[in-house]
Amino acid sequence: FAGDSGRISCEACPGGSVSEAGAVECTACEPGYFTSAKGFSECLPCSPGFFQTSPGATTCDFCPSASFAERKGQSQCTACGLENGGTGGVVGVATRSLCVCNPGYYFPCWSGSFDGGCHLSRESNTTCAPCPSTTTGSRVVAGLTCPGGLEAVPERNGSDLDSLRHAQPMNLPGFMSLTSSPYVSWGCRNEIQCAG
């Protein structure tokens, strides 16, 4: 920028601002954009997973845990909106698909097959349920554990979101579930009954 009119030399705009050729003053970058050093002619958008709320910024900030930013140039992050869930403490998340249930909770998505709503790319539910327990008479037996987070989809390879799903409840040693009712755990009578 040229500064005072009549000046012969130009100065580079400081970080967080830009100017066009022949401009008299610098313009601050808008929220969601930045320049890291002086001399830029164009503000850069914050990358997905990052945001910036202030104008004239020289950096972008990571989206905090339990939030995400899917597009470039975000001035704020979006909360996961998953009750009893978040991003597992991870910051800088760039997709809602990585919002998962906390340990002790699971994403109830079984409807005859796990090939539907459990996949991260297809979910629509917004509540993680407490880990199921089994009732024996008046006594509650914890036959399942819920690790939270993600798990690989059996028989699918690859690194895209279709190869991941919300982690589902797992049987503890000495318990089993039927494929027709995976959220119900039964105590085993012997090792043959519970081979796994």
Side-chain angles (χ1 to χ4, degrees), residues 1-2 11-13 17-27 39-42:
F1 77 103
E11 294 178 32
C13 287
S17 63
V18 294
S19 71
E20 294 181 14
V24 178
E25 59 186 37
C26 298
T27 304
F40 277 76
S41 61
E42 188 176 319

Side-chain angles (χ1 to χ4, degrees), residues 22 60 84 123 176 184:
C60 294
N84 301 312
E123 80 201 45
M176 66 171 214
V184 177

